[in-house]
């Protein structure tokens, strides 16, 4: 068991990265902050949202509505591409720094654009020229829930100038505050303590050793305070992250569960401080081998390497989870050449493996192979089975028709190299959206589907 963590989950450090610099795998610690200053790509996205604001101000004709929708979709698509060039936005919780002028000049559309593209939160830095009323007005313009807002102050003096943590918590659920000395920071925080807002200390790593940063992160984590490191190295980030984990093992290793992006457990391994650093350095699954007493970079011998997406600590801080994509000619985590260490998969994962194999080699008369080769047949079956699912009227019938729809949909996905994990990641990204469509059915799609079904009736 880990040491007592009060009534909150373990707080872990995460990096603040400059968007104008090359992407880094240290974002795999699960969360990262993106500094947008100097990013030409982000400025282009700002400009697009200014254009959208102007279009929205024009009286809405049908053509103008189409233009506004087109501008929105274009800016979100480019924002998604930009975020994904920094880290996997479908897996990593990304905070994006925005200036107050960006929010005002776009009438808040830049904030909505970022979140529709998959960002978890926006970070608004407070300077001396802004009052509490100014910030309230700016965030009201953003039109997003307070849970998606982080307000940053350079020091506790700036917080006191604004009022108190409690007064600021009305507009944001999270704050970050500059920290030069941890004991001083924690003393000031204790004087301002409130349960209504999460607080993270932002630390400049320049001139600080990896071990001193690790000590600072561990002390903050003990008090359930987060920690943002400005542009850390993999060693600084990895050791700071490991300092927030606990273990009761004599060898100091951390129990580690390895999972697919959909959350399915692939196996149980162990991690050391050094293996965590190595994993962040190379962006792969790296663990500690107890039998070899050395680092184990998965796949160097077998070819079944892993792309690292994310690290997580459990609620008590005594177990790690590596979220990965398993690679290999036959993707296998287990030494017995199965994806998981619990034998061959069942259900959807088994179907997915079978479809991938059918793409490579199918037995004579394979119906799945026929679907791969005949796009019109596959389209017709998707329409047909979707209608049968829509008309199913009891639980067993719904389950049967859902299974049919899943089969044909996964054939389509396999044909284009799309996995169940890809679909799960897309669902997670969509959950972060703040713009919701009306959701009405599309008459031209309904008509096309009915034409297919009528033709099937005539042929039968």
């Amino acid at each position: 068991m880990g040491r007592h963590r009060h009534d909150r989950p373990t707080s872990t450090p995460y990096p603040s990265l400059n968007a104008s610099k090359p992407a880094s795998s240290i974002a795999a610690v699960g969360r990262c902050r993106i500094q947008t200053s100097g990013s030409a790509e982000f400025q282009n996205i700002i400009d697009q949202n200014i254009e959208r604001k102007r279009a929205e101000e024009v009286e809405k004709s049908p053509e103008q509505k189409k233009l506004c929708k087109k501008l929105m979709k274009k800016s979100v698509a480019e924002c998604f591409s930009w975020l994904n060039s920094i880290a996997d936005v479908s897996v990593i919780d990304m905070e994006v720094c925005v200036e107050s002028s960006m929010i005002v000049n776009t009438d808040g559309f830049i904030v909505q654009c970022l979140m529709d593209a998959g960002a978890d939160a926006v970070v608004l830095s407070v300077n001396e020229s802004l009052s509490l009323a100014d910030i309230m007005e700016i965030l009201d313009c953003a039109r997003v829930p307070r849970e998606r807002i982080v307000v940053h102050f350079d020091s506790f003096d700036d917080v006191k100038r604004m009022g108190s943590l409690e007064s600021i918590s009305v507009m944001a659920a999270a704050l970050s505050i500059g920290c030069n000395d941890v004991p001083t920071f924690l003393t000031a925080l204790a004087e301002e303590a409130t349960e209504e807002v999460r607080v993270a200390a932002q630390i400049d790593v320049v001139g600080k050793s990896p071990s001193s940063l690790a000590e600072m992160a561990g002390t903050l984590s003990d008090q359930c305070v987060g920690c943002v490191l400005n542009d850390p190295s993999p060693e600084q980030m990895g050791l700071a992250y490991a300092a927030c984990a606990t273990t009761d093992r004599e060898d100091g290793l951390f129990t580690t569960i390895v999972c697919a992006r959909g959350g399915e457990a692939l196996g149980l391994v162990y991690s050391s401080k050094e293996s965590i650093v190595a994993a962040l350095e190379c962006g792969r699954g790296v663990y500690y081998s107890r039998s070899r007493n050395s680092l184990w970079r998965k796949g160097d011998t077998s070819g079944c390497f892993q792309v690292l997406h994310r690290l997580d600590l459990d609620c008590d801080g005594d177990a790690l989870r590596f979220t990965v994509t398993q690679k290999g000619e036959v993707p296998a985590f287990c030494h017995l050449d199965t994806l998981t260490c619990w034998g061959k998969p069942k259900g959807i994962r088994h179907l997915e493996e079978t479809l991938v194999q059918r793409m490579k080699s199918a037995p004579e008369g394979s119906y799945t192979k026929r679907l791969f080769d005949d796009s019109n047949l596959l389209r017709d079956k998707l329409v047909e089975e979707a209608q049968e699912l829509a008309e199913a009227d009891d639980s067993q019938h719904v389950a049967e028709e859902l299974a049919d729809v899943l089969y044909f949909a996964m054939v389509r996905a396999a044909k284009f190299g799309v996995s169940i994990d890809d679909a799960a990641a897309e669902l997670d990204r969509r959950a972060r959206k703040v713009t919701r469509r009306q959701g009405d059915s599309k008459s031209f799609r309904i008509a096309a589907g009915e034409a297919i079904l009528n033709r099937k009736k005539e042929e039968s």
Side-chain angles (χ1 to χ4, degrees):
M1 295 295 291
R3 57 182 181 266
H4 183 52
R5 295 283 179 173
H6 311 281
D7 58 351
R8 298 185 184 182
T10 305
S11 297
T12 53
Y14 57 96
S16 179
L17 305 174
N18 192 318
S20 61
K21 293 184 178 181
S24 171
S25 56
I26 62 174
V29 291
R31 191 173 193 88
C32 71
R33 178 170 295 180
I34 307 302
Q35 301 288 347
T36 55
S37 177
S39 170
E41 293 90 342
F42 187 65
Q43 184 57 52
N44 182 55
I45 295 167
I46 292 288
D47 293 340
Q48 289 179 9
N49 280 275
I50 291 175
E51 183 181 2
R52 180 190 170 193
K53 175 199 173 186
R54 291 170 181 160
E56 293 280 357
E57 290 172 343
V58 177
E59 186 176 348
K60 295 294 193 302
S61 64
E63 292 75 17
Q64 191 68 17
K65 288 181 179 179
K66 287 182 180 179
L67 174 61
C68 292
K69 184 176 180 180
K70 180 180 178 181
L71 291 173
M72 180 193 72
K73 293 177 71 173
K74 180 182 178 183
S75 65
V76 170
E78 293 203 16
C79 190
F80 172 72
S81 178
W82 172 70
L83 289 172
N84 237 26
S85 71
I86 300 169
D88 187 345
V89 70
S90 65
V91 180
I92 303 301
D93 300 328
M94 300 178 74
E95 304 174 348
V96 182
C97 296
V98 294
E99 297 174 9
S100 58
S101 60
M102 297 174 180
I103 299 176
V104 173
N105 292 343
T106 64
D107 194 27
F109 287 136
I110 183 58
V111 177
Q112 296 172 36
C113 176
L114 284 164
M115 294 184 181
D116 287 347
D120 182 65
V122 295
V123 182
L124 176 64
S125 292
V126 175
N127 56 48
E128 293 182 359
S129 66
L130 295 175
S131 67
L132 184 60
D134 292 332
I135 298 174
M136 295 281 283
E137 186 175 348
I138 291 168
L139 294 181
D140 186 57
C141 179
R143 297 186 294 276
V144 294
R146 63 184 285 276
E147 289 75 22
R148 309 291 292 276
I149 300 293
V150 180
V151 176
H152 175 73
F153 296 90
D154 287 337
S155 69
F156 265 105
D157 288 340
D158 292 330
V159 175
K160 292 175 181 177
R161 177 181 61 82
M162 194 67 61
S164 66
L165 289 185
E166 187 172 0
S167 62
I168 296 166
S169 69
V170 174
M171 58 188 177
L175 302 180
S176 71
I177 304 170
C179 171
N180 293 317
D181 179 73
V182 169
T184 303
F185 182 94
L186 291 175
T187 299
L189 180 61
E191 295 173 356
E192 293 276 350
T194 173
E195 294 293 319
E196 299 302 318
V197 64
R198 303 187 309 277
V199 177
Q202 182 156 321
I203 299 173
D204 192 343
V205 303
V206 176
K208 297 181 178 66
S209 68
S211 59
S212 66
L213 285 171
E215 183 178 356
M216 294 172 77
T219 301
L220 290 165
S221 180
D222 281 346
Q223 301 302 315
C224 299
V225 177
C227 176
V228 187
L229 303 182
N230 287 334
D231 201 18
S233 68
E235 182 182 19
Q236 290 172 325
M237 190 72 255
L239 292 181
Y241 191 91
C244 301
T246 63
T247 179
D248 54 10
R249 293 177 57 90
E250 292 183 359
D251 56 15
L253 298 178
F254 308 111
T255 303
T256 303
I257 303 295
V258 184
C259 294
R261 279 192 298 170
E264 179 183 11
L266 305 183
L268 173 69
V269 295
Y270 293 89
S271 296
S272 65
K273 295 177 182 179
E274 294 74 19
S275 71
I276 293 172
V277 170
L280 295 179
E281 285 177 333
C282 65
R284 285 175 50 179
V286 182
Y287 313 105
Y288 189 85
S289 170
R290 294 174 299 161
S291 59
R292 304 176 207 161
N293 288 320
S294 63
L295 296 187
W296 167 37
R297 193 162 72 165
K298 174 66 177 168
D300 278 355
T301 302
S302 66
C304 293
F305 68 95
Q306 297 170 340
V307 176
L308 174 63
H309 297 295
R310 177 176 177 129
L311 301 183
D312 288 286
L313 275 176
D314 74 345
C315 57
D316 288 325
D318 57 4
L320 273 167
R321 179 177 65 184
F322 271 54
T323 300
V324 305
T325 291
Q326 181 65 56
K327 298 290 187 176
E329 184 174 352
V330 176
F333 176 80
C334 184
H335 69 288
L336 298 178
D337 290 334
T338 56
L339 178 62
T340 83
C341 289
W342 289 276
K344 293 185 177 181
K346 296 180 179 180
I348 290 179
R349 187 68 75 179
H350 176 259
L351 174 59
E352 182 175 64
E353 284 194 2
T354 301
L355 294 176
V356 170
Q357 290 302 314
R358 291 291 186 269
M359 282 281 290
K360 297 176 181 177
S361 176
E364 187 70 27
S366 168
Y367 180 61
T368 299
K369 180 68 163 58
R370 183 183 167 199
L371 290 170
F372 282 138
D373 294 340
D374 190 338
S375 296
N376 289 336
L377 174 62
L378 178 54
R379 179 202 60 195
D380 290 354
K381 292 302 296 183
L382 278 166
V383 172
E384 176 187 325
E385 298 300 339
Q387 184 209 30
E388 291 179 3
L389 174 59
E391 295 177 354
D393 56 7
D394 63 67
S395 57
Q396 180 59 35
H397 192 194
V398 169
E400 293 167 355
E401 297 303 336
L402 175 60
D404 288 340
V405 170
L406 285 172
Y407 165 70
F408 289 105
M410 289 179 65
V411 170
R412 179 74 174 173
K415 185 174 181 178
F416 286 87
V418 175
S419 70
I420 286 294
D421 289 344
D422 293 330
E426 176 63 17
L427 288 172
D428 287 338
R429 186 183 72 83
R430 291 185 185 185
R432 292 173 173 155
K433 292 179 64 174
V434 293
T435 302
R436 300 299 177 190
R437 295 184 296 180
Q438 193 168 348
D440 293 336
S441 61
K442 298 175 181 177
S443 58
F444 74 97
R445 290 292 185 193
I446 299 299
E450 287 178 345
I452 290 172
L453 294 170
N454 289 335
R455 176 170 52 78
K456 297 284 285 183
K457 286 180 181 179
E458 292 172 1
E459 292 173 354
S460 62

